[in-house]
Amino acid sequence: RARAASAPEPEPEPIATPAAKVGWRERARLLTNEGKQLARGPIGRFSASQVFIGLGAGLFFPYLSIYFVNELGATTPQFGVLSSVQTVLLAGAALLAAPLAARFGKLRLAIVAQTLSLPFLIVLGVSPVLSIAAVAYLARASLMNLGAPGLQAYYMEAVPEGRRGLASSVYNGVWQGAWALGALIGGSLISRAGYGSVFLVAAVCYTASILLLAWWFGGARQRATREEPAPALQGDAV
């Protein structure tokens, strides 16, 4: 009897490979473009302003207690009382920040408060009178803290939701790095030119930060700085 013809065996399925493999040059080009986009967007611009804030703060903050005790003649208990009063004022400023930001705008409040703090920073560094320096110290800290919460919220609102974790990490990392560099520079400046120099240089750094914020995000410019979602690399999971 004739043998029944067997059905043909199915061909093996091809091994799945990435539909579009990106070469290292193309991947590098895409990553470079994404980096440029980040640098031109809110993350890069806010980070640039944070560099100057962190640098300015690092110049004098680590040496404030030494400055008050050694240069202005404050006793350790007096500086302790001053620090306690500052903490209370900072808490009050934080409570006032939300209603003031709602009325005047987060960015405007931050820029105005930081600008008003600059004369007190200079007085703090040049006044030889303990009581005047103490008032300047408290006023400067309160004004800086008045605008800080709204500015942090503005940072987050200016960045797409998917990148807010990255933005927070970049802001904090940039600030901490600039603060560490400022502390290093501040110690050298104090030993060579005295305490007054670090306060004046810090005022210049704060002014640069304020000008950058006003230039990049003030008025109609802030509408042009919203980031677009970064292009995904071909072949990557989305």
Side-chain angles (χ1 to χ4, degrees):
R1 192 172 6 176
R3 199 177 202 181
S6 60
E9 295 183 359
E11 295 183 1
E13 295 182 1
I15 299 174
T17 57
K21 238 181 179 178
V22 180
W24 67 268
R25 289 185 180 178
E26 179 66 11
R27 185 174 290 270
R29 185 185 68 80
L30 291 171
L31 289 173
T32 301
N33 290 341
E34 184 176 354
K36 289 179 180 178
Q37 184 183 16
L38 286 175
R40 290 194 299 263
I43 292 180
R45 293 183 173 188
F46 277 130
S47 297
S49 71
Q50 286 295 292
V51 166
F52 288 103
I53 291 290
L55 188 63
L59 286 170
F60 67 93
F61 258 104
Y63 312 103
L64 268 177
S65 60
I66 304 173
Y67 173 67
F68 270 95
V69 173
N70 291 354
E71 290 292 308
L72 299 178
T75 63
T76 303
Q78 283 177 330
F79 186 75
V81 171
L82 189 63
S83 298
S84 299
V85 173
Q86 182 204 38
T87 303
V88 174
L89 291 177
L90 293 183
L95 292 175
L96 288 174
L100 288 176
R103 180 171 181 178
F104 300 108
K106 301 180 183 73
L107 183 65
R108 181 179 298 175
L109 176 64
I111 290 176
V112 170
Q114 289 183 12
T115 302
L116 292 176
S117 75
L118 291 176
F120 294 105
L121 177 62
I122 295 173
V123 170
L124 173 60
V126 301
S127 175
V129 181
L130 174 60
S131 57
I132 296 176
V135 171
Y137 169 66
L138 296 175
R140 191 214 74 87
S142 300
L143 286 167
M144 286 296 291
N145 202 60
L146 186 64
L151 190 59
Q152 290 292 335
Y154 187 89
Y155 285 173
M156 293 298 104
E157 291 171 1
V159 176
E161 189 172 350
R163 292 195 172 182
R164 288 176 184 172
L166 171 65
S168 180
S169 299
V170 171
Y171 299 154
N172 290 326
V174 164
W175 191 92
Q176 295 288 349
W179 195 95
L181 178 61
L184 185 64
I185 296 173
S188 178
L189 271 177
I190 290 169
S191 64
R192 298 180 182 211
Y195 282 95
S197 61
V198 293
F199 291 99
L200 295 176
V201 176
V204 173
C205 291
Y206 284 137
T207 301
S209 176
I210 292 167
L211 292 176
L212 288 178
L213 285 175
W215 174 255
W216 280 330
F217 299 98
R221 289 180 178 272
Q222 63 185 356
R223 293 192 293 270
T225 56
R226 302 279 177 177
E227 279 188 317
E228 297 295 331
L233 299 179
Q234 296 182 12
D236 284 0
V238 207

